[in-house]
Amino acid sequence: MTVHSPAPEHSGARRRRNRRRALSAALVLALASAISACGSDEPSRYSRACGVVVDGSGSAAASRTGFDAEAKLKATLQKFLSDNKCRKTSFAPITKVSEASKCQVSPLDLDPDTSKTADRERARTTMRAVALSNALKLLRCAQKEEPGSDVLGGLSRIALSKPSGDDASFDVLVVSDFDQGDTDFRLGRQDLSTAASRRTVIDGFLTSHGTPKLSGADIYPVGYGMKYHTDTSHYERFNAFWTELLEGRVKAHVDTTYRR
């Protein structure tokens, strides 16, 4: 009996077969990686530090001459916290003597650790609602204290929560009309008519009250200058004063995204 050897495989056919095998293996690996990724598809964690400063002075009332701090908190706070992906969030009041005020609420973690099966976005939404509730409690406490509006003191108090490091991010929502009026300094009585007079006023103000350590922070005012919304000339002087103080001296950045 004659045994015939199989015909030798053409080298081109062998290369094509090897390529098909390699491609099949690559597709299997890619599919496995995709399945693994889907199984661990969890939103990235938030890390940004934020602050909320609430003005409880008489002008914060819901009246014809007030800026209605409660309404502004309800309209902006949760959006601010969501937009800026805030995690650790601290709170400070504005009162007649803000730094010595007994009004306080504890910082919150707005992206807390949860089980792997928990809905992280729902947990964040819930914590932002808690943050609003706490800010409203702080506002009501501040409104019960002696009338006054130490805006700079409120900024100094929230500055204690700023992360260390010159490049550390810190977003601060300040619900206030910024009409400084404490025992030693009333903004409405100062000469803000020229750049030179404003510099003199700011020099004395920071010497007596201290400079908030908010260099590099982003400050988002809400209710800013509402006392002067129908008086253009007064508003321009008021705005020039705070712009020079916050951006020129404190070295913070003022963002008007939530100003209303």
Side-chain angles (χ1 to χ4, degrees):
M1 180 176 63
T2 303
V3 178
H4 296 283
S5 300
E9 183 179 32
H10 190 275
S11 61
R14 185 167 55 251
R15 286 197 298 271
R16 286 193 295 273
R17 185 182 65 186
N18 289 339
R19 280 200 298 269
R20 285 195 298 271
R21 287 176 176 173
L23 180 60
S24 296
L27 287 173
V28 170
L29 287 173
L31 181 59
S33 297
I35 293 172
S36 175
C38 289
S40 61
D41 188 16
E42 183 181 2
S44 59
R45 302 299 296 275
Y46 291 167
S47 60
R48 203 167 184 89
C50 296
V52 181
V53 182
V54 182
D55 190 340
S57 66
S59 58
S63 64
R64 185 178 62 82
T65 57
F67 66 89
D68 198 347
E70 180 174 341
K72 285 181 168 47
L73 272 172
K74 291 178 177 178
T76 61
L77 178 55
Q78 292 179 90
K79 179 173 173 52
F80 163 79
L81 296 172
S82 176
D83 289 349
N84 291 284
K85 295 180 169 57
C86 296
R87 184 162 186 180
K88 182 184 177 182
T89 300
S90 302
F91 304 82
I94 292 175
T95 63
K96 187 175 184 179
V97 188
S98 300
E99 290 181 271
S101 172
K102 295 180 180 179
C103 297
Q104 62 179 349
V105 294
S106 300
L108 287 175
D109 183 349
L110 303 185
D111 190 15
D113 294 334
T114 60
S115 67
K116 292 184 178 179
T117 59
D119 185 333
R120 183 162 297 282
E121 285 301 330
R122 179 175 293 181
R124 290 168 176 169
T125 299
T126 298
M127 291 309 300
R128 287 193 286 265
V130 173
L132 174 60
S133 176
N134 286 3
L136 291 171
K137 290 177 184 177
L138 185 66
L139 171 64
R140 293 180 187 116
C141 177
Q143 288 176 320
K144 293 176 182 177
E145 294 203 344
E146 188 176 357
S149 184
D150 179 16
V151 179
L152 200 67
L155 293 174
S156 293
R157 186 158 164 174
I158 202 65
L160 298 175
S161 301
K162 184 179 184 294
S164 59
D166 293 337
D167 60 345
S169 62
F170 193 45
D171 296 329
V172 183
L173 187 76
V174 185
V175 182
S176 173
D177 62 358
F178 280 74
D179 188 23
Q180 178 83 23
D182 61 82
T183 302
D184 303 315
F185 184 94
R186 292 189 175 277
L187 188 58
R189 297 178 181 175
Q190 308 302 317
D191 179 7
L192 307 179
S193 58
T194 67
S197 65
R198 287 192 293 272
R199 282 195 298 270
T200 300
V201 171
I202 291 171
D203 288 341
F205 185 33
L206 294 180
T207 297
S208 62
H209 288 66
T211 302
K213 298 185 183 303
L214 289 171
S215 176
D218 290 295
I219 297 177
Y220 297 81
V222 181
Y224 178 89
M226 292 196 70
K227 179 179 179 179
Y228 307 107
H229 71 282
T230 59
D231 190 333
T232 303
S233 61
H234 276 80
Y235 176 82
E236 288 175 349
R237 294 194 290 270
F238 164 89
N239 186 51
F241 168 85
W242 280 111
T243 299
E244 170 59 24
L245 191 152
L246 295 173
E247 297 194 334
R249 305 296 186 89
V250 175
K251 304 302 181 183
H253 172 252
V254 178
D255 191 302
T256 61
T257 299
Y258 307 98
R259 184 180 294 181
R260 54 177 66 203

